[in-house]
Amino acid sequence: MDASRRAVTDGDGERFGDRFGGTCVGSAERIGGVCELLMKNDSKLTMGIVSAMGVAVKGEPKVTDCLINATEMASKRDETYAVELTKLEDKHVSTAKALLTDKAEYDAYIAAFNEELNDLRAMFKAIYIAGCSTDAFGDFVVGHGELWTARLCAATIRCKGGKAVWIDARDILVVTDSEDGGVDVDYSLSNANLDKWYDEHMQEGAVVMVTGFIARTPEGVPTTLKRNGSDYSATIFGALTQAKNITIWTDVDGVFSADPRRVKGAKCLSSISYNEAWELAYFGANVLHPRTTLPAMKYNIPVTLRNYFNQAAPGTSIGMTCSLPAGVEGNVGKFETRDMSGELVKGIATIDDVCLINVEGTGMVGVPGTANAVFKAVKEAGCNVVMISQASSEHSICFAVRSYEADAAVAALNKTFEKAIAAGRISRILPLKDCSILAIVGQNMCQTPGVSAMLFESLAQSAVNVVAIAQGASEYNITVVVAKKDINKALQAVHGRFYLSKTAISVGLVGPGLVGKTLLRQMKEQLETLQEEFAVELRVVAITGGRKMLLSDGAIDLNSWEDEYASGVQANMDDFTKHVLESEAPNQIIVDCSASDVVAGHYKEWLSNGLHVVTPNKKANSGPLAYYKELRSIQRNSYTHYFYEGTVGAGLPIIATLQSLRNSGDKVERIEGIFSGTLSYIFNTLEPGKKFSDIVAQAKEAGYTEPDPRDDLSGMDVARKVTILARECGLNIELSDVPIQSLVPEPLRDIESVDEFMKELPKYDGDILSKQEEAAAAGEVLCFVGVVDVKNGTGSVELRRYPADHPFAQLKGSDNIVSFTTKYYTSAGPLVVRGPGAGAEVTAGGVFGDILRVCAYLGAPS
Ligand code: ADP
Ligand code: ASP
Ligand code: MG
């Protein structure tokens, strides 16, 4: 070993390894920038480890992908593989032209490049003719991208007046396949190779450009460190040279709490431990190759992940604040420092495509070696077990493999356990396809109670079913398997729970009529306060009417939604539902402001899918009893909320009062109330000397009635409210069980035209007048009321008389009033709720209140 180069002695000078990902070397301009960055470094040894060229502009060819594609195409006898080669040629020749200003450098680069490309052409031709390729062939081919960039960078530095040499890492790194599908480094052989290379090729003060990703086997066969492996190359070379610092340059500001492409509010972490980085990468955070941290950990070399495109950002430092994973030896001994200042959960990672395989059977209980046989069979089939969870009953062994390996694993298990299956000792080998893994990772979870409760609660609140669970003995991660269709929702929910101070909720609105529009306006006015004071972020992502629909990936701007909605697409309830369901928030609410029974028919589907429903629409709760019961039972048996305060008395707390009376153990005996704002107005205005028909006409004129006043006068609306309240009291009644005393005179019920009806109505004024006079003679007034008689199990809608000093007789304008007679609030002093019970503002206010109630249940501060 060359002591002057690598011995760790004080004053020996600093060595740095900088690794540049594909996007950092995606164009001539970027490669130029990378070279300048390296040239600025005046440490004793500067190494630049590079990936193959990625892309600077979306849609351009990525070099590694082209090489993989070409190999696949040739082996499938698809002659268009040649197109991929042309892309590679164009990309490298034009980049070299732009960078290599020295003719000799350019000529030498192109000569070497052409020679290698011609060799590849010949090889592809052979693959094409044979119609097959091998892994070794593929590994040899795919590594060319790195050769071409490393050589190009060295030449560029020289053209810029610097000193540079380059290393083909296949001359240095010796690796062997490891059991988990990765590769292990033979450090002593690699070290010896590096010494040799250094003696023969190193130039004093030169930047050393190194090919990332590639290596060779002990037999000298070219191989790779597997996809994304250039980070791993960097830390291996860092370890070989015992670098002072390794910087991994990529296209994000650092390691985030979740993939920033998928989770909007993901936070960039300032520091994480090697173990945390390792676990995150293992569970799918592809910002790092899973093995990247291992070599750095060996010598405690700090790794910094930085954004090449935002060099002002400090990046994430990855360092030693924890123990090494089992089996990894290093010179740092055991660390167990808990980073108390940090977050409980550092990051959340996902593997989207896995298959859960369950091996079940009573014959496994107490039989030693079954687990061993299971995993041996899987390993021999070349499949990598991502996660294991075993039931402690030993009744089943359950583990996850990547989806593409599932069939092979199941076939191998069926073969291995052929006899045990035939004998019934193993009942079945069951693959559960289309699953995903979600892992939460964080060293501080260790010995902190309650973390898993938070995880499972957040999943339950988002209606995500957990299929399997595993926790590492280190307690650095908790892993759950969920259905693939739920993974995005799960990721958002869990991230939101651990990371976001705000509860983000998507809202889909059905029926942007008068109430819907008012609600959107009220929400717009409150958005900021909600965010600041209650940490609730409401995002309206979809609005649909009967004909039009507006869907948006982000939040719809509530200042200008009407214009966008006007040019919306054709309404479609399935698309609307899917859009809300897949929107990027842990929780979703559908608000139905329509009066439609067709829309109400969707509640079951929505609630079953975990969508909360808030509505002032009476159709579901006053429709068929069985449907209402189904909805309530879904609500009761899940974390999904169904709130409908607006169905009775608009924003007045009538249902909430009733529910809290019942929940607190009181017994409701009777509910009586004036539930129709319209009829309230009519009877409050009806005084001696005034005609009923005139008042109806006035009310119609003023817009207090439905377009056809018979809809109010028929009492149907009040009957629906009575049905809703009766059911809320536990009565099993149908709307048709509620007798209604209609105020529409019998002969006028079938008249088609509203005008005709209005013209005929005065003929019947006498009916009401005589009732009114009778009441007045007894010192009473007429009120149109709904009654729920809980004791007798009935509901009714009728015109009743009340003493002039009764609260019902005191009502003003279009107010509603409801009195609850209960065990505690007896008839001597019933509980009374009174106030405006109709109109868009108060109805929308009631709906808004329900939306906030959902938020509170989901964890927003109250
Ligand atoms: P490079 O070519 O530099 O190796 P990669 O594309 O392999 O870059 O890795 C960077 C990408 O990893 C980011 O653009 C980001 O989308 C993705 N990524 C996934 N999970 C995370 C995470 N937890 N933090 C940061 N980036 C992540
Ligand atoms: N070029 C290789 C790949 O695309 C290695 C890397 O970029 O890290 O997988
Ligand atoms: Mg990468």
Side-chain angles (χ1 to χ4, degrees):
M1 167 149 173
D2 180 346
S4 70
R5 177 164 56 84
R6 272 175 289 145
V8 199
T9 52
D10 284 336
D12 182 42
E14 295 173 345
R15 299 172 194 83
F16 284 85
D18 284 73
R19 168 275 190 191
F20 299 90
T23 45
C24 311
V25 291
S27 66
E29 197 194 345
R30 292 182 184 179
I31 292 180
V34 162
C35 292
E36 277 159 27
L37 193 75
L38 288 167
M39 288 165 75
K40 270 193 232 150
N41 194 340
D42 57 2
S43 64
K44 178 148 179 175
L45 177 64
T46 302
M47 260 190 180
I49 295 99
V50 281
S51 300
M53 287 180 79
V55 295
V57 179
K58 216 172 163 193
E60 282 178 359
K62 283 187 186 171
V63 171
T64 309
D65 290 349
C66 283
L67 289 163
I68 292 173
N69 291 345
T71 316
E72 272 177 12
M73 288 156 111
S75 63
K76 285 186 189 138
R77 297 219 166 97
D78 173 356
E79 60 193 5
T80 53
Y81 73 81
V83 177
E84 299 295 302
L85 296 185
T86 310
K87 286 185 201 163
L88 292 172
E89 183 172 15
D90 292 347
K91 186 159 180 135
H92 287 93
V93 171
S94 64
T95 310
K97 245 185 211 144
L99 287 168
L100 304 183
T101 43
D102 180 300
K103 186 169 182 315
E105 287 285 2
Y106 176 77
D107 289 346
Y109 181 79
I110 294 296
F113 177 80
N114 281 338
E115 197 180 325
E116 280 154 0
L117 196 66
N118 282 336
D119 286 349
L120 285 182
R121 281 204 176 97
M123 291 177 69
F124 282 128
K125 181 96 196 203
I127 296 176
Y128 175 76
I129 292 168
C132 67
S133 174
T134 62
D135 286 351
F137 233 79
D139 276 350
F140 173 75
V141 169
V142 77
H144 278 74
E146 272 70 12
L147 285 181
W148 296 331
T149 22
R151 199 188 279 138
L152 185 55
C153 288
T156 303
I157 292 176
R158 291 192 296 268
C159 287
K160 287 180 183 287
K163 247 179 159 182
V165 285
W166 76 283
I167 293 181
D168 176 347
R170 293 173 304 188
D171 294 337
I172 313 291
L173 290 190
V174 181
V175 298
T176 51
D177 282 346
S178 67
E179 289 177 351
D180 63 357
V183 295
D184 286 326
V185 183
D186 183 329
Y187 280 99
S188 74
L189 273 180
S190 305
N191 242 324
N193 289 336
L194 185 57
D195 285 345
K196 185 158 173 282
W197 178 92
Y198 206 89
D199 293 339
E200 289 172 7
H201 302 285
M202 186 58 192
Q203 295 171 18
E204 183 67 34
V207 173
V208 182
M209 295 307 307
V210 183
T211 57
F213 184 47
I214 55 178
R216 71 169 151 93
T217 66
E219 296 75 34
V221 180
T223 187
T224 69
L225 309 185
K226 313 292 178 223
R227 292 283 340 233
N228 251 326
S230 59
D231 325 346
Y232 188 23
S233 305
T235 52
I236 297 170
F237 272 95
L240 289 174
T241 55
Q242 296 191 7
K244 177 145 193 253
N245 198 317
I246 302 162
T247 305
I248 293 184
W249 294 94
T250 182
D251 60 359
V252 273
D253 279 355
V255 179
F256 279 70
S257 50
D259 186 342
R261 277 175 305 195
R262 289 175 62 171
V263 178
K264 265 205 203 92
K267 302 261 184 316
C268 185
L269 305 169
S270 60
S271 77
I272 54 175
S273 71
Y274 291 132
N275 272 354
E276 287 169 334
W278 181 72
E279 302 241 12
L280 278 173
Y282 180 84
F283 285 109
N286 59 357
V287 65
L288 286 173
H289 181 282
R291 295 195 154 229
T292 303
T293 55
L294 298 182
M297 207 184 299
K298 218 168 147 60
Y299 297 103
N300 194 6
I301 305 169
V303 178
T304 315
L305 198 101
R306 293 189 60 188
N307 190 351
Y308 177 71
F309 305 97
N310 179 17
Q311 295 187 15
T316 300
S317 61
I318 307 173
M320 176 68 68
T321 45
C322 54
S323 63
L324 298 168
V328 176
E329 283 172 17
N331 61 0
V332 288
K334 280 261 168 197
F335 266 65
E336 264 306 342
T337 35
R338 282 221 289 154
D339 175 6
M340 296 309 292
S341 62
E343 302 84 356
L344 217 49
V345 168
K346 284 283 174 62
I348 299 136
T350 58
I351 305 178
D352 288 349
D353 270 301
V354 299
C355 173
L356 200 65
I357 300 177
N358 213 11
V359 182
E360 294 170 16
T362 42
M364 288 162 44
V365 181
V367 179
T370 314
N372 183 33
V374 167
F375 295 118
K376 189 161 166 263
V378 174
K379 185 185 163 222
E380 280 169 7
C383 310
N384 183 29
V385 173
V386 185
M387 181 200 111
I388 304 171
S389 108
Q390 183 184 12
S392 56
S393 67
E394 292 187 52
H395 207 268
S396 68
I397 294 174
C398 170
F399 61 93
V401 297
R402 303 257 176 187
S403 292
Y404 55 84
E405 293 180 341
D407 290 343
V410 172
L413 288 168
N414 277 318
K415 192 151 174 280
T416 304
F417 293 106
E418 212 173 352
K419 278 194 195 144
I421 294 170
R425 277 179 283 121
I426 289 199
S427 53
R428 56 181 183 170
I429 288 162
L430 184 71
L432 193 62
K433 294 196 169 166
D434 295 324
C435 290
S436 301
I437 285 181
L438 178 143
I440 58 172
V441 171
Q443 215 161 311
N444 288 341
M445 289 181 344
C446 179
Q447 290 164 17
T448 306
V451 180
S452 49
M454 279 162 86
L455 168 68
F456 294 115
E457 190 188 52
S458 63
L459 291 169
Q461 283 180 342
S462 293
V464 174
N465 181 40
V466 176
V467 184
I469 304 165
Q471 178 173 25
S474 61
E475 287 190 59
Y476 292 169
N477 86 65
I478 303 174
T479 313
V480 292
V481 177
V482 302
K484 190 174 167 195
K485 69 171 178 40
D486 288 339
I487 187 64
N488 207 28
K489 196 156 64 145
L491 178 62
Q492 309 294 336
V494 175
H495 187 270
R497 183 71 183 86
F498 286 106
Y499 255 93
L500 299 182
S501 47
K502 292 192 193 94
T503 308
I505 295 170
S506 302
V507 179
L509 178 94
V510 186
L514 198 55
V515 173
K517 265 188 193 142
T518 310
L519 174 67
L520 291 175
R521 201 209 66 233
Q522 291 180 353
M523 280 169 63
K524 179 188 80 185
E525 288 166 2
Q526 277 302 101
L527 279 186
E528 235 169 76
T529 316
L530 284 176
Q531 292 215 18
E532 281 161 18
E533 288 179 28
F534 300 99
V536 167
E537 191 186 334
L538 289 176
R539 302 180 192 144
V540 179
V541 295
I543 300 175
T544 185
R547 277 184 296 274
K548 280 205 175 114
M549 175 169 81
L550 170 63
L551 306 180
S552 162
D553 286 337
I556 294 170
D557 183 350
L558 296 185
N559 290 302
S560 56
W561 71 269
E562 282 184 86
D563 295 341
E564 281 182 72
Y565 178 74
S567 52
V569 295
Q570 164 99 35
N572 177 313
M573 204 47 106
D574 288 343
D575 293 349
F576 170 84
T577 304
K578 191 162 176 286
H579 183 81
V580 178
L581 206 53
E582 290 175 359
S583 60
E584 264 192 14
N587 289 282
Q588 294 99 8
I589 304 180
I590 292 191
V591 181
D592 172 18
C593 291
S594 77
S596 149
D597 45 7
V598 178
V599 178
H602 286 275
Y603 296 177
K604 184 178 163 197
E605 170 202 347
W606 291 338
L607 291 168
S608 313
N609 279 299
L611 293 166
H612 308 289
V613 175
V614 167
T615 186
N617 178 359
K618 291 180 275 292
K619 294 292 161 55
N621 284 13
S622 61
L625 177 67
Y627 187 60
Y628 163 80
K629 286 196 148 181
E630 254 185 306
L631 298 181
R632 290 302 310 269
S633 117
I634 300 175
Q635 180 196 22
R636 265 191 216 110
N637 298 321
S638 70
Y639 280 82
T640 315
H641 301 294
Y642 172 42
F643 293 148
Y644 38 83
E645 184 62 86
T647 55
V648 182
L652 295 179
I654 294 174
I655 300 213
T657 303
L658 180 52
Q659 286 177 343
S660 83
L661 286 172
R662 281 169 58 81
N663 292 345
S664 62
D666 199 353
K667 241 184 145 40
V668 179
E669 289 163 5
R670 187 182 171 86
I671 305 171
E672 198 171 318
I674 297 175
F675 296 111
S676 159
T678 315
L679 293 173
S680 174
Y681 170 82
I682 290 173
F683 283 96
N684 292 338
T685 319
L686 187 66
E687 46 191 51
K690 286 193 178 165
K691 283 189 189 148
F692 179 69
S693 59
D694 281 348
I695 297 170
V696 173
Q698 274 167 27
K700 181 173 185 298
E701 197 88 328
Y704 292 163
T705 68
E706 294 294 319
D708 185 341
R710 283 173 295 183
D711 289 342
D712 298 301
L713 297 175
S714 72
M716 181 51 87
D717 179 67
V718 177
R720 285 192 183 277
K721 291 170 179 165
V722 165
T723 308
I724 293 171
L725 291 175
R727 289 175 176 179
E728 215 56 44
C729 292
L731 301 185
N732 288 326
I733 69 167
E734 294 283 3
L735 181 58
S736 54
D737 297 334
V738 178
I740 310 171
Q741 185 179 353
S742 172
L743 296 178
V744 184
E746 185 85 49
L748 304 188
R749 289 186 192 161
D750 294 330
I751 295 180
E752 284 259 325
S753 125
V754 178
D755 289 345
E756 184 74 21
F757 162 73
M758 292 302 289
K759 227 167 79 202
E760 294 293 310
L761 189 62
K763 291 185 185 156
Y764 301 88
D765 280 340
D767 292 358
I768 298 276
L769 185 67
S770 60
K771 286 189 177 112
Q772 196 195 2
E773 282 171 354
E774 258 175 58
E780 292 178 339
V781 292
L782 287 179
C783 296
F784 192 76
V785 296
V787 179
V788 179
D789 183 340
V790 185
K791 273 196 186 150
N792 293 311
T794 58
S796 61
V797 175
E798 55 200 279
L799 198 56
R800 288 171 66 100
R801 286 160 41 176
Y802 290 87
D805 59 351
H806 190 276
F808 283 18
Q810 315 289 316
L811 214 56
K812 296 270 168 331
S814 62
D815 279 6
N816 279 194
I817 186 162
V818 188
S819 89
F820 298 91
T821 310
T822 74
K823 191 168 84 187
Y824 301 143
Y825 296 95
T826 60
S827 53
L831 192 156
V832 175
V833 178
R834 173 189 166 159
E841 284 299 332
V842 285
T843 308
V847 175
F848 200 3
D850 273 353
I851 295 176
L852 297 180
R853 199 142 68 98
V854 176
C855 299
Y857 277 98
L858 294 175
S862 53

